[in-house]
Amino acid sequence: MKIKDEFVTQTVENEHIMVAVDSNIFSGLVRSNKTAAFIIEQLKTNVTREEIIEKMLSHYDGVRSTIEKDVDMVIENLKRIGALDE
């Protein structure tokens, strides 16, 4: 899966922001905390859920089950707004 090309991300004053370049797809602004921003950055290339989890485990000191829940939540939210190509 991968973030659709119609969505762009930017970090502004330590805040990660994602917007759609076409308001017919999604009209709004997505603000992300550091964890969600890390996941979104991984999704800029074609990647699997498991690959994201493994990268998070190597980057963050966290429990696998918690990281899995975080990844699933971000993926579901991105799917809901139509931001993912699967």
Side-chain angles (χ1 to χ4, degrees):
M1 74 189 107
K2 181 178 181 275
I3 294 284
K4 290 182 178 178
D5 292 338
E6 293 85 7
F7 285 81
V8 294
T9 64
Q10 182 73 34
T11 301
V12 178
E13 295 182 18
N14 295 323
E15 185 172 38
H16 192 269
I17 298 170
M18 183 173 74
V19 295
V21 293
D22 182 352
S23 62
N24 292 323
I25 296 171
F26 175 74
S27 179
L29 176 74
V30 177
R31 292 183 181 158
S32 303
N33 63 23
K34 287 183 179 185
T35 303
F38 184 88
I39 295 166
I40 290 169
E41 288 300 310
Q42 301 310 304
L43 287 163
K44 287 185 173 181
T45 60
N46 195 22
V47 67
T48 66
R49 173 187 177 269
E50 189 59 35
E51 289 171 329
I52 296 169
I53 291 167
E54 291 302 321
K55 288 180 183 179
M56 293 213 35
L57 285 168
S58 68
H59 191 264
Y60 292 102
D61 183 27
V63 178
R64 183 179 190 90
S65 61
T66 302
I67 288 174
E68 288 173 344
K69 288 178 188 175
D70 289 345
V71 170
D72 290 342
M73 181 184 67
V74 172
I75 288 171
E76 284 306 312
N77 286 335
L78 293 172
K79 284 180 183 178
R80 187 175 44 80
I81 65 170
L84 283 183
D85 275 331
E86 295 185 69

